[in-house]
Amino acid sequence: MLVCLGLVGHAWAQEHDSFVNKDTENMPNMAVSEDLSANSAFSAPSPRLRYVLQGVKIEGNYKTRRSVILDYITLERGDVVDVEDDSLEAIRYRLLGTGFFSSVRLSLKRGSKRGYVILLVTVTERNTLRIDQVAAGIAEGVRRTADRTADIEPFFGVALSDRNFFGTGLMLSGATALSPAQQGVRLGVLAPRVVAKEISLSGSIFFNNAREFFGGDDVRVSIACPAGISPADCPEEVLAKNAVVRYKRAGLKFGSGQELSSRLYLTVDWQGELVDVTAIPDAASQKRGNDITPIDFAIDPDLSVVSMVELALTFDRRDNPVLPSKGLHFKIQSDHASRFIASDYDYFKLQVQARYWFKLPWGHTLRLGAFGGAIFGRAPFFQKFYVADLNDLLPSRMLGLNFDRRRPPSILGTAAKEMRNEDLAGRVDVQYAWPVYRNPTGIRATDLFFTTGLYYISSRRDLLVGLSGYNELSRIPVDLTFDFGLRMDTDIGVFQFAFSTMVGFLVL
């Protein structure tokens, strides 16, 4: 049985400088005495209630340091607090978005004199040492490329993080992905607002020992034994009947982020890596439609460098970062690699994703999603858009590793079945979630979900010319995808048990 666990959304560690009056810690928790009720229809409308902030009191933080919480509160002593303003709700969303707390409640208490109030922040902490992602299942790979037959191989991956390391707000993360032929690992750290309490810094390192599959069962391959190596010692790819590239990637990534508002976040990162191709066919061809076309491996032989700048802007107005029931999440990201920053590849990659949740009258949740992406220039194959990441019937990549060599199923009978990794991609989908269980602790929430949608993937040439052998609408590489399963929010992570990849494995 295939078990896939959903990725918990990024908990941005944004912080704001603020002031706490320690003398307010011993004040009684008295409600504000002003009458907030509406006046009668014959009286003049009441003015908006405004108070002066005397201080901040925090309750429920047994692990998280007080200073960490205060950095997310934008109000300072002496500020005017408007009870009808959205700033208080923005603070609550900001604290929930950290992932440190399962609940946050704000209230105003009477200060030491009339017109002054104390902001009481009551939090319920959650376990921040979490399983972010687990993927396990079987895929069709190639262990011996000299053999036409494919191998059914297991794969496993896990990602862990502590989003609030010893209550400091520091986030540590690690991930690994394994199969008999491929391995990958990544370690990362995120330090919130270390520059003038406004800018976060992050860094990570990664390594992949990987294989990439090209073509299908009808692929034709030409490869020669490297000079100076006897035939008995030649790599197995020399006798290949599958087009497989063996390569290693090692690199690092570091950058910074800044919260532009309580909902808007900007990140700028640089990623540099070395790519060592240890085996690659001299040439290969495949049948696409009615034509025999050469395969572009989209990688330099031997050793090459990828140097890339990544810019991302995220808008997040979800009511819950884990299992949202309403709100909008929007992200636009651009990646630019250039020889001007020591890259052997020149390309520009643009991605846009939007998801909108809303609650139905009977308490269930509907999510609408859209994604679009395009690559201009020459990008290495692992930076392209993969059909496995768009079609839920195939195992998705993890840490950039593609475990499955199969082409996608052809539900609608279009040219999409000819695609593998391309320059253009898009997807629209709808997900229906049925909340079946809610609890304050342990397994806090359980949802049943069903997702269906359409995806598009092609090269720029296919967009303009199309593939021979397909007529009318079937020339458009669009196909159907679907997924269903169970999603649980627990003290140790969000678990998603999805079964569409198992269905795809059985029917492909």
Side-chain angles (χ1 to χ4, degrees):
M1 181 180 67
L2 176 65
V3 182
C4 293
L5 280 71
L7 179 64
V8 178
H10 251 331
W12 302 115
Q14 295 85 267
E15 301 189 10
H16 287 271
D17 215 5
S18 64
F19 177 87
V20 58
N21 183 357
K22 296 182 179 180
D23 293 337
T24 63
E25 292 295 300
N26 299 319
M27 288 187 174
N29 293 333
M30 298 180 291
V32 177
S33 61
E34 283 76 4
D35 185 6
L36 304 182
S37 62
N39 293 328
S40 68
F42 299 101
S43 62
S46 299
R48 296 180 66 167
L49 295 176
R50 294 181 175 88
Y51 304 95
V52 177
L53 183 64
Q54 179 176 325
V56 177
K57 183 175 182 179
I58 300 172
E59 295 180 346
N61 57 317
Y62 302 106
K63 173 184 176 181
T64 307
R65 296 180 183 179
R66 185 186 309 275
S67 60
V68 172
I69 298 176
L70 289 174
D71 285 337
Y72 290 87
I73 299 175
T74 54
L75 296 174
E76 299 181 1
R77 187 178 68 169
D79 287 347
V80 175
V81 180
D82 188 337
V83 297
E84 299 180 23
D85 189 58
D86 292 336
S87 59
L88 293 177
E89 187 66 6
I91 292 173
R92 192 179 76 87
Y93 274 116
R94 186 180 291 112
L95 288 170
L96 283 173
T98 63
F100 304 164
F101 314 109
S102 59
S103 68
V104 176
R105 187 171 61 89
L106 304 182
S107 59
L108 297 177
K109 302 299 180 182
R110 180 182 298 167
S112 59
K113 57 183 179 180
R114 185 175 180 84
Y116 283 75
V117 294
I118 298 169
L119 175 62
L120 176 62
V121 182
T122 305
V123 299
T124 302
E125 292 182 315
R126 65 186 304 164
N127 177 32
T128 57
L129 179 59
R130 297 172 61 81
I131 300 174
D132 291 327
Q133 184 181 12
V134 172
I138 54 177
E140 183 178 297
V142 177
R143 191 173 304 174
R144 282 181 43 82
T145 56
D147 194 350
R148 277 274 186 205
T149 61
D151 300 295
I152 306 303
E153 299 182 335
F155 65 88
F156 174 78
V158 61
L160 305 172
S161 69
D162 189 340
R163 299 177 181 272
N164 190 11
F165 186 65
F166 284 105
T168 62
L170 191 70
M171 175 179 171
L172 304 181
S173 62
T176 186
L178 306 168
S179 78
Q182 303 189 69
Q183 304 83 38
V185 64
R186 184 188 66 212
L187 301 173
V189 60
L190 171 65
R193 304 238 174 194
V194 295
V195 180
K197 295 292 186 178
E198 293 183 354
I199 298 176
S200 64
L201 296 179
S202 62
S204 63
I205 57 175
F206 62 90
F207 174 79
N208 285 3
N209 177 32
R211 299 186 180 192
E212 187 56 54
F213 313 105
F214 294 85
D217 294 332
D218 53 2
V219 68
R220 299 180 180 182
V221 183
S222 172
I223 189 169
C225 185
I229 299 180
S230 65
D233 297 328
C234 278
E236 60 184 28
E237 283 76 8
V238 170
L239 304 176
K241 295 181 181 179
N242 287 279
V244 180
V245 174
R246 297 180 62 173
Y247 67 102
K248 297 178 181 179
R249 296 173 60 194
L252 57 89
K253 181 178 182 178
F254 63 86
S256 63
Q258 183 169 10
E259 187 183 73
L260 304 180
S261 72
S262 61
R263 301 285 190 270
L264 198 60
Y265 196 76
L266 174 69
T267 58
V268 180
D269 297 276
W270 174 82
Q271 179 172 307
E273 59 181 290
L274 294 176
V275 183
D276 183 17
V277 175
T278 56
I280 185 172
D282 295 327
S285 62
Q286 63 179 332
K287 185 177 181 181
R288 300 182 80 231
N290 291 335
D291 299 330
I292 303 296
T293 60
I295 293 177
D296 179 10
F297 294 105
I299 197 71
D300 290 346
D302 301 323
L303 192 66
S304 60
V305 176
V306 181
S307 179
M308 178 184 69
V309 175
E310 176 186 298
L311 180 67
L313 187 66
T314 303
F315 178 82
D316 192 351
R317 199 178 175 83
R318 296 172 295 176
D319 62 340
N320 189 303
V322 179
L323 290 180
S325 61
K326 62 180 180 179
L328 172 67
H329 185 274
F330 175 84
K331 182 176 182 179
I332 180 170
Q333 176 178 318
S334 65
D335 303 336
H336 188 201
S338 171
R339 297 186 184 276
F340 291 105
I341 52 175
S343 176
D344 291 324
Y345 305 86
D346 282 285
Y347 67 91
F348 177 76
K349 181 177 180 181
L350 180 65
Q351 301 175 81
V352 180
Q353 183 181 60
R355 288 181 172 178
Y356 179 71
W357 291 260
F358 60 92
K359 185 171 290 188
L360 299 171
W362 49 91
H364 296 184
T365 301
L366 203 64
R367 189 203 74 192
L368 305 178
F371 167 81
I375 297 175
F376 305 93
R378 179 174 176 264
F381 60 78
F382 46 80
Q383 291 291 352
K384 293 193 174 186
F385 300 108
Y386 276 68
V387 68
D389 296 333
L390 300 169
N391 191 328
D392 296 320
L393 298 174
L394 292 172
S396 298
R397 292 185 299 164
M398 185 173 185
L399 298 184
L401 299 179
N402 184 29
F403 295 109
D404 205 301
R405 67 183 287 273
R406 293 172 298 163
R407 287 179 172 175
S410 181
I411 298 178
L412 300 181
T414 69
K417 70 177 182 180
E418 307 283 356
M419 308 301 168
R420 187 184 299 274
N421 48 47
E422 309 295 343
D423 299 322
L424 303 173
R427 170 168 162 155
V428 291
D429 59 41
V430 57
Q431 182 177 101
Y432 185 92
W434 176 14
V436 296
Y437 178 77
R438 292 294 186 268
N439 190 58
T441 59
I443 301 178
R444 288 188 288 266
T446 301
D447 289 357
L448 295 173
F449 71 90
F450 176 79
T451 307
T452 185
L454 294 171
Y455 71 91
Y456 170 91
I457 182 170
S458 76
S459 67
R460 292 191 299 274
R461 181 183 182 278
D462 294 332
L463 176 66
L464 299 175
V465 179
L467 293 179
S468 64
Y470 295 89
N471 300 315
E472 299 177 350
L473 293 179
S474 67
R475 297 169 67 92
I476 304 174
V478 173
D479 214 330
L480 181 69
T481 181
F482 64 87
D483 196 5
F484 62 94
L486 183 70
R487 185 182 297 119
M488 296 187 300
D489 178 21
T490 74
D491 288 336
I492 60 173
V494 176
F495 291 74
Q496 178 169 299
F497 299 86
F499 302 99
S500 61
T501 49
M502 179 59 69
V503 173
F505 191 85
L506 295 176
V507 302
L508 285 180

